[in-house]
Amino acid sequence: MLNASLHNLRYWRGQLSRGMLFLIVALAVVAMLLPVGDVVWHGLPALSWDFITTNPSDAGRSGGIASILASTGLIVSVSLVTAVPVAFGTALLLSEYLPPTALATSLIRGSLDILAGVPSVVFGLFGLALLCRQFGLGYSILAGGRMFP
């Protein structure tokens, strides 16, 4: 009898834990969807073909976003052209050519861990300081699509 009531208690405790976990996840999802829903609700009426295809005017207070979309696409393209070969080469080197116990493998993996741990904003500021100011590239597509995506 004692064994059955202990089993029953564990069952209901597990059900309560699952229910609380479900409630917490549901609240987190709602908290994430509310701002997105608000942006869509208020932004969708302002979205039009004219807004997408015209250039900004009055210092960006009016007009559209055509040049912004084009420059964003170019910056992403420059970033991909510079980053994909390096990333593919590094992955190939680590998976096919270097033994897992080699010093170079350890150094590269450690460097990748550090690289993954640094926020991208830090790399952006570093690229701004180095490429735009020190190397004199100015504010350009090449500087925006720097080799530190």
Side-chain angles (χ1 to χ4, degrees), residues 29-54:
V29 168
V30 167
M32 289 188 322
L33 289 179
L34 279 176
V36 172
D38 187 56
V39 168
V40 170
W41 181 263
H42 291 101
L44 205 55
L47 194 61
S48 67
W49 185 251
D50 188 47
F51 178 70
I52 293 172
T53 58
T54 58

Side-chain angles (χ1 to χ4, degrees), residues 6-147:
L6 185 61
H7 177 69
N8 199 15
L9 179 66
R10 285 182 182 164
Y11 172 78
W12 287 112
R13 196 179 288 170
Q15 291 296 95
L16 180 65
S17 297
R18 278 191 201 99
M20 289 175 58
L21 182 64
F22 178 77
L23 181 66
I24 291 170
V25 169
L27 287 174
V29 168
V30 167
M32 289 188 322
L33 289 179
L34 279 176
V36 172
D38 187 56
V39 168
V40 170
W41 181 263
H42 291 101
L44 205 55
L47 194 61
S48 67
W49 185 251
D50 188 47
F51 178 70
I52 293 172
T53 58
T54 58
N55 287 325
S57 59
D58 192 24
R61 289 186 206 85
S62 61
I65 58 171
S67 61
I68 297 165
L69 290 175
S71 61
T72 300
L74 288 171
I75 288 172
V76 168
S77 299
V78 169
S79 295
L80 286 174
V81 164
T82 57
V84 167
V86 174
F88 184 73
T90 303
L92 193 64
L93 181 72
L94 285 174
S95 66
E96 297 296 327
Y97 293 107
L98 290 177
T101 58
L103 177 63
T105 304
S106 176
L107 289 174
I108 292 172
R109 288 191 190 276
S111 299
L112 290 175
D113 286 341
I114 292 170
L115 185 67
V118 176
S120 60
V121 173
V122 173
F123 289 116
L125 291 173
F126 177 74
L128 172 74
L130 183 70
L131 297 175
C132 296
R133 300 214 173 121
Q134 295 298 322
F135 290 165
L137 288 176
Y139 300 109
S140 64
I141 297 295
L142 283 176
R146 64 211 174 274
M147 292 186 65

